[in-house]
Structure formats: structure tokens, C-alpha cells
């Protein structure tokens, strides 16, 4: 057995060290607390870059550490990454320092806020690296606690309602995940996500078709809540509207990806036959997400709520690509997961910038702002056009691959789903026109443009949006071999 590689452990747990230090600092030293929080997200980012540089796309699971944790029950501290998890880990370590900077204005109970934020980062990174089902579940639940308090304490006027709704929805889904994990263990005696498929095939569970069908459905509900897929989406707009800006960025940029990641990491590989059976159902839900989410976004007058509903619509494209189970569809789904993380992060940061100045998010309350805040208007233009899928920006290629992959499989669903692009373009351009074009609203004649700190959070994301729009191969190469293997496995089931 190879010695454990601790690279991922350092990436995961550096923020936890920062959290411990923050807890030792007096609460009145707010600036020092913020600086410590920022500094302790940087090592994970640097190690994440090293992970990208050292990762071999053809090498399968890498940087693995597999050491006993609770021997009596075959529970291991088992972490590793493949092409599916590498982009998600990098997205997480990239967004967290940006979110710390975006939280610089938090002064009320800053010690608790930044300590919980670092704990949240540990949970998110753990989910993407865990290869033991029990460990995965621990990290999955670990995220709930800090997110609940970050919304419930530092959120808007209806923060308690939004936090409890988020908590109950996610906990409800976690119950199904827990049941599935226990059933797998009872039949196989293992939590090893890499070896579990073979162990299931060699156990009595392989012939328990009805039970497997219910297990897949239960795990789908658990992950669909996180996506969020219709009809489990109602927690998202409330959580986004009430959450602080940085937490909205994390919600849209990282947490929504965990639902689709869970389906691709656990549900599809462990129960490919059931995944094939459920594919049409997932495609129909994806279509509802795309069209319904876009129509809801168009009806919003609150800018943050509009972005929240647009996230529901865009996650529908990810689900459609997954449901197609073709190489193009699968690659498009994972690419869309990464690109949506950067684009939506920009959008929520931009909403936070305007809210900090105007103290409202009413789209019709602005007008003509492009003359006064050209930098802000320019970056918003990039984010809006990337969101609507303009060729040359990162949002385009992910959606294009999804449609290429799903068209031969679900002709009419794909045709109907393209209406989502038209609706997205309509509400995006209409929103931009109402905020930035036309006569200037004199109430905001002295509105200041982006500060240096705000530029530092927005420009790196804008660079990703442009560069990956022109050279998507830079990131596709990471996950293409992993997705090809998954597609081959599903093809065997479909043809068998």
C-alpha cells in the first residue's frame, strides 16, 4: 500500500487552524480577526493550485490518504480526488478568500462570523474529497451548522425564517442519505465509495431490485434538495435574499454543486441501472427547472431574488446534461457546474456592491448608472452576458455541450429547454437596461464606483469567465477522462 498523501488533508484543514486561532483572539480585535481569516484561506488556495499542477487527468483517483478511523465499523479517513472533484475543490479554495474580502464590512460579532465561515470551508472541501461514505456524510452534515448560523444571525430581516427553512429542507434530505448509507453498510460491510460498487455486485443487494430503486430515489431526494431541483427549490430564494453577500456567493457557487456532485459521485456509480431508469425523470425535472426558474427570474423586482431564480434555471442545464448520459452531456454538466460557480459568484458580489451603496435591490429603483459607475457597469455586463450564454464567455460552452449531448437522447425536452436561453436573455437584458441605461436617476448621481477591494474580488472571476469562454479545454481536460469512464459504465447498462 502506498503511504498516505497529505496534500488534501492540508487543503481541507488549514481553515480549521485559522478558526482555532480566531477563537483565541479577543472579539474587539475585528480587523485582526478578518486578517487571520483571510490569511488562513490562502494556504488552501496555494495548495489547490499545486493540486491542479500535479494532477494527472489519466491517473484516476489521486493524492489519496486512507487511514483507519473507527476500525470496528470499517470506517476510514479516506480522501482523494479525480477529474470530477478536482474542479470543485479548486472552485471552493478560490471562492473562499474572495468571500472573506467580500465580508470585510461585517463588524457585528465578527469573531463568530469568520470562525464559522472557516468551519464551513472545511465542510465543503471535505465533501468534495471524501471517499468514505461515512466521512462524506460527516462533512455533509458539518456544513449545515455554520450555514444555519451564518444566515440566521447575520442575515436580513427574515433571517430566522430563511435559516430554519434551509436547515429543515437539508436535514430532511440528509435522512434519506443516512438510510442509504446504512443499507449499503448492512449488505456490504463497507463505506468505501471506490470499492462499494463491486461489493454491492457481490452482495444480496445486487438482486434486491425494488430496494435499490427506493435507495436511488431516496438519494435523489437528498441531492435534489441541494441542487435545488423542482419541487424542492423553495428554500433557495429565501436563503439567498436573507443571507449576507458572501454567504449567497457560497450558496450559489459551491453548495448547489454538491447536489449534482453527489449524484455523479455516489448515485450514478453505485447504482448505474437505477440511474438509467431514472434518466428520463431527471431530464423532465431539468426542463422544469430551466423554464420555470427562468420565468420566475423574469417576474422578480428584487435583483438578488432574480439571480437566485436564475441559479435554479441554470442548474437545470447541469441536470439535463447528466440525464443525457452522453460524453458531451456529462462534460457539459461538469463544465456548467464550474462555470456557474464563477458567474453566479460574480452576480451576487455585484448585487452586494450596489446594495451597500443604495441599501435596496429594487431593479426599477435605479436607472442610468452606467454613466456614474463605468467599472461596475462593465463588470456587470460581463457577468450578465456570461450568464445568458454569450459565445466567447464561459456560460456558453457549458450549455452548448449540454444541448449537444441531450439533443440525440431527448429531442423534445432539449428543444423545449432551449426556450430557457431566450427567456434568460430577455430578463437579463431587460434588467441591465433598467439599472444602467436610460436617464440617470439623480438620487444616485454621486454613487461611487467599485473600490479597490471590490475590484480585487470581481476581476479574478471576470478573468476566469473570459479565459474559460475562449479556452474551455483548460478545464475540460481535467474531468473528461473521468466522465468518459462513467459514460462507458452507463452505456454497458443501457446496452445490456
Amino acid at each position: 500500500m502506498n503511504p498516505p498523501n497529505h496534500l488534501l488533508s492540508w487543503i481541507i484543514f488549514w481553515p480549521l487552524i485559522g478558526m482555532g486561532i480566531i477563537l483565541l483572539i479577543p472579539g474587539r480585535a475585528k480587523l485582526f480577526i478578518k486578517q487571520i481569516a483571510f490569511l488562513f484561506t490562502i494556504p488552501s488556495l496555494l495548495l489547490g493550485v499545486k493540486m491542479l499542477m500535479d494532477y494527472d487527468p489519466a491517473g484516476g483517483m489521486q493524492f489519496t490518504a486512507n487511514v483507519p478511523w473507527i476500525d470496528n465499523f470499517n470506517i476510514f479517513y479516506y480522501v482523494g480526488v479525480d477529474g470530477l472533484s478536482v474542479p470543485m475543490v479548486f472552485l471552493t479554495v478560490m471562492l473562499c478568500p474572495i468571500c472573506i474580502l467580500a465580508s470585510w464590512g461585517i463588524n457585528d460579532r465578527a469573531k463568530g462570523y469568520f470562525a464559522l465561515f472557516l468551519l464551513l470551508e472545511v465542510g465543503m472541501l471535505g465533501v468534495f474529497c471524501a471517499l468514505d461514505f461515512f466521512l462524506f456524510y460527516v462533512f455533509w452534515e458539518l456544513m449545515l451548522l455554520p450555514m444555519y448560523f451564518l444566515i440566521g444571525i447575520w442575515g436580513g430581516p427574515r433571517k430566522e425564517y430563511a435559516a430554519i427553512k434551509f436547515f429543515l429542507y437539508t436535514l430532511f434530505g440528509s435522512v434519506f442519505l443516512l438510510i442509504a448509507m446504512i443499507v449499503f453498510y448492512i449488505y456490504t460491510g463497507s463505506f468505501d465509495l471506490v470499492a462499494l460498487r463491486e461489493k454491492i455486485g457481490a452482495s444480496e443487494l445486487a438482486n434486491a431490485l425494488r430496494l435499490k430503486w427506493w435507495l436511488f430515489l431516496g438519494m435523489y431526494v437528498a441531492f435534489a434538495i441541494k441542487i435545488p431541483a423542482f419541487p424542492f427549490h423553495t428554500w433557495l430564494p429565501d436563503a439567498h435574499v436573507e443571507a449576507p453577500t458572501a454567504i449567497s456567493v457560497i450558496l450559489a457557487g459551491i453548495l448547489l454543486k454538491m447536489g449534482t456532485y453527489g449524484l455523479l459521485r455516489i448515485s450514478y456509480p453505485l447504482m448505474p441501472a437505477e440511474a438509467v431508469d431514472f434518466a428520463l425523470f431527471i431530464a423532465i425535472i431539468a426542463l422544469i427547472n430551466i423554464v420555470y426558474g427562468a420565468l420566475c427570474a423574469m417576474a422578480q423586482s428584487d435583483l438578488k431574488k432574480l439571480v437566485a431564480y436564475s441559479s435554479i434555471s441554470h442548474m437545470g442545464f447541469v441536470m439535463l446534461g447528466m440525464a443525457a448520459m452522453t460524453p458531451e452531456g456529462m462534460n457539459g454538466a461538469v463544465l456548467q457546474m464550474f462555470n456557474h460557480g464563477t458567474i453566479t459568484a460574480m452576480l451576487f458580489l455585484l448585487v452586494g456592491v450596489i446594495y451597500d451603496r443604495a441599501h435596496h435591490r429594487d431593479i426599477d429603483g435605479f436607472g442610468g448608472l452606467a454613466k456614474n459607475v463605468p467599472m461596475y457597469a462593465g463588470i456587470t455586463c460581463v457577468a450578465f452576458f456570461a450568464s445568458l450564454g454569450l459565445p466567447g464567455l464561459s456560460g456558453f460552452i457549458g450549455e452548448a455541450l449540454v444541448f449537444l449531448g441531450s439533443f440525440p437522447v431527448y429531442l423534445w425536452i432539449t428543444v423545449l429547454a432551449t426556450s430557457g436561453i431566450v427567456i434568460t436573455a430577455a430578463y437579463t437584458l431587460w434588467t441591465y437596461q433598467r439599472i444602467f441605461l436610460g436617464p440617470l436617476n439623480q438620487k444616485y448621481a454621486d454613487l461611487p464606483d467599485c473600490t479597490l477591494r471590490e475590484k480585487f474580488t470581481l476581476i479574478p472571476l471576470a478573468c476566469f469567465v473570459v479565459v474559460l469562454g475562449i479556452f474551455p479545454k483548460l478545464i475540460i481536460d481535467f474531468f473528461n477522462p473521468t466522465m468518459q469512464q462513467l459514460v462507458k459504465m452507463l452505456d454497458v447498462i443501457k446496452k445490456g
Side-chain angles (χ1 to χ4, degrees):
M1 180 181 290
N2 294 327
N5 187 313
H6 295 299
L7 177 69
L8 296 179
S9 300
W10 281 112
I11 291 176
I12 295 169
F13 293 111
W14 258 111
L16 195 63
I17 300 172
M19 177 191 166
I21 293 173
I22 285 175
L23 292 177
L24 297 174
I25 300 173
R28 61 180 181 279
K30 296 174 183 173
L31 180 60
F32 188 45
I33 287 170
K34 295 172 189 176
Q35 290 168 340
I36 290 293
F38 180 72
L39 284 176
F40 275 84
T41 56
I42 298 303
S44 293
L45 173 60
L46 297 177
L47 291 172
V49 173
K50 176 176 171 51
M51 174 195 70
L52 277 185
M53 294 172 68
D54 293 349
Y55 180 76
D56 175 9
M61 203 62 75
Q62 293 167 49
F63 312 114
T64 56
N66 190 0
V67 294
W69 179 20
I70 309 174
D71 282 351
N72 311 42
F73 303 102
N74 269 340
I75 297 172
F76 288 76
Y77 172 76
Y78 186 14
V79 293
V81 287
D82 62 0
L84 174 61
S85 37
V86 161
M88 297 299 107
V89 171
F90 181 69
L91 182 65
T92 306
V93 296
M94 180 181 65
L95 286 184
C96 283
I98 289 174
C99 289
I100 293 286
L101 290 178
S103 304
W104 219 251
I106 299 281
N107 290 309
D108 178 29
R109 289 173 280 190
K111 180 174 176 173
Y113 177 90
F114 288 98
L116 286 169
F117 187 93
L118 293 178
L119 181 62
L120 179 65
E121 184 178 1
V122 173
M124 294 187 296
L125 290 169
V127 166
F128 291 132
C129 296
L131 296 177
D132 181 286
F133 206 157
F134 190 89
L135 186 66
F136 178 92
Y137 187 79
V138 169
F139 282 123
W140 182 272
E141 292 300 292
L142 181 64
M143 292 182 307
L144 260 183
L145 188 72
M147 185 56 81
Y148 169 75
F149 286 114
L150 287 167
I151 297 173
I153 297 177
W154 290 274
R158 296 172 69 241
K159 55 193 177 188
E160 291 90 357
Y161 169 77
I164 290 173
K165 193 172 181 180
F166 161 79
F167 191 90
L168 290 179
Y169 262 80
T170 311
L171 193 64
F172 174 74
S174 298
V175 171
F176 292 102
L177 199 59
L178 178 64
I179 293 170
M181 184 179 74
I182 292 171
V183 172
F184 285 137
Y185 180 75
I186 289 172
Y187 276 92
T188 65
S190 173
F191 293 109
D192 187 332
L193 287 173
V194 178
L196 205 51
R197 183 170 172 247
E198 289 183 10
K199 291 177 183 292
I200 290 172
S203 72
E204 293 179 6
L205 186 58
N207 299 318
L209 300 182
R210 188 174 293 275
L211 176 59
K212 285 172 65 183
W213 192 90
W214 284 109
L215 283 174
F216 188 93
L217 180 62
M219 286 203 293
Y220 170 78
V221 171
F223 295 132
I225 288 172
K226 249 331 188 263
I227 290 174
F230 179 88
F232 305 111
H233 64 284
T234 61
W235 65 269
L236 184 74
D238 290 315
H240 270 308
V241 169
E242 301 304 326
T245 296
I247 304 308
S248 289
V249 171
I250 291 295
L251 267 172
I254 311 293
L255 256 69
L256 303 193
K257 313 301 173 296
M258 290 182 178
T260 45
Y261 176 82
L263 285 169
L264 290 173
R265 167 65 64 213
I266 300 178
S267 302
Y268 275 38
L270 297 191
M271 290 184 287
E274 287 69 26
V276 171
D277 291 344
F278 271 83
L280 176 60
F281 169 76
I282 294 174
I284 292 170
I285 296 295
L287 173 63
I288 296 172
N289 258 51
I290 291 168
V291 179
Y292 171 76
L295 288 172
C296 287
M298 181 176 263
Q300 302 307 314
S301 58
D302 184 314
L303 185 57
K304 203 172 187 185
K305 218 167 187 175
L306 180 149
V307 179
Y309 275 108
S310 78
S311 290
I312 294 172
S313 178
H314 282 106
M315 289 307 290
F317 291 113
V318 179
M319 294 175 67
L320 184 59
M322 290 167 54
M325 297 182 177
T326 56
E328 296 85 358
M330 286 291 200
N331 279 325
V334 180
L335 184 60
Q336 180 72 356
M337 285 165 65
F338 185 89
N339 289 337
H340 180 259
T342 53
I343 295 169
T344 312
M346 280 183 74
L347 290 171
F348 277 114
L349 288 170
L350 289 162
V351 173
V353 169
I354 198 73
Y355 182 77
D356 285 345
R357 287 156 173 71
H359 305 294
H360 74 86
R361 299 184 296 258
D362 183 14
I363 296 168
D364 291 323
F366 300 103
L369 293 187
K371 296 173 186 170
N372 273 35
V373 286
M375 171 67 79
Y376 180 77
I379 297 175
T380 306
C381 186
V382 172
F384 273 26
F385 277 98
S387 180
L388 67 83
L390 186 76
L393 298 175
S394 62
F396 167 73
I397 189 68
E399 291 179 3
L401 282 175
V402 165
F403 286 132
L404 279 173
S406 64
F407 193 82
V409 185
Y410 304 114
L411 173 62
W412 286 110
I413 289 177
T414 307
V415 169
L416 292 171
T418 55
S419 64
I421 295 178
V422 179
I423 300 169
T424 302
Y427 73 72
T428 302
L429 296 175
W430 189 34
T431 302
Y432 192 86
Q433 178 254 317
R434 283 184 287 171
I435 296 176
F436 294 103
L437 306 181
L440 174 65
N441 183 341
Q442 291 303 318
K443 189 177 175 183
Y444 302 111
D446 298 324
L447 204 71
D449 208 341
C450 294
T451 64
L452 182 62
R453 178 173 58 80
E454 289 162 349
K455 290 175 190 172
F456 201 73
T457 61
L458 290 165
I459 290 176
L461 294 172
C463 292
F464 267 98
V465 165
V466 174
V467 170
L468 291 181
I470 300 170
F471 303 109
K473 192 174 182 296
L474 288 175
I475 189 161
I476 291 175
D477 282 349
F478 280 101
F479 54 77
N480 181 49
T482 305
M483 291 299 102
Q484 294 285 352
Q485 284 183 358
L486 187 55
V487 170
K488 282 179 185 173
M489 183 176 71
L490 294 166
D491 272 345
V492 170
I493 300 293
K494 285 191 278 189
K495 293 172 183 173

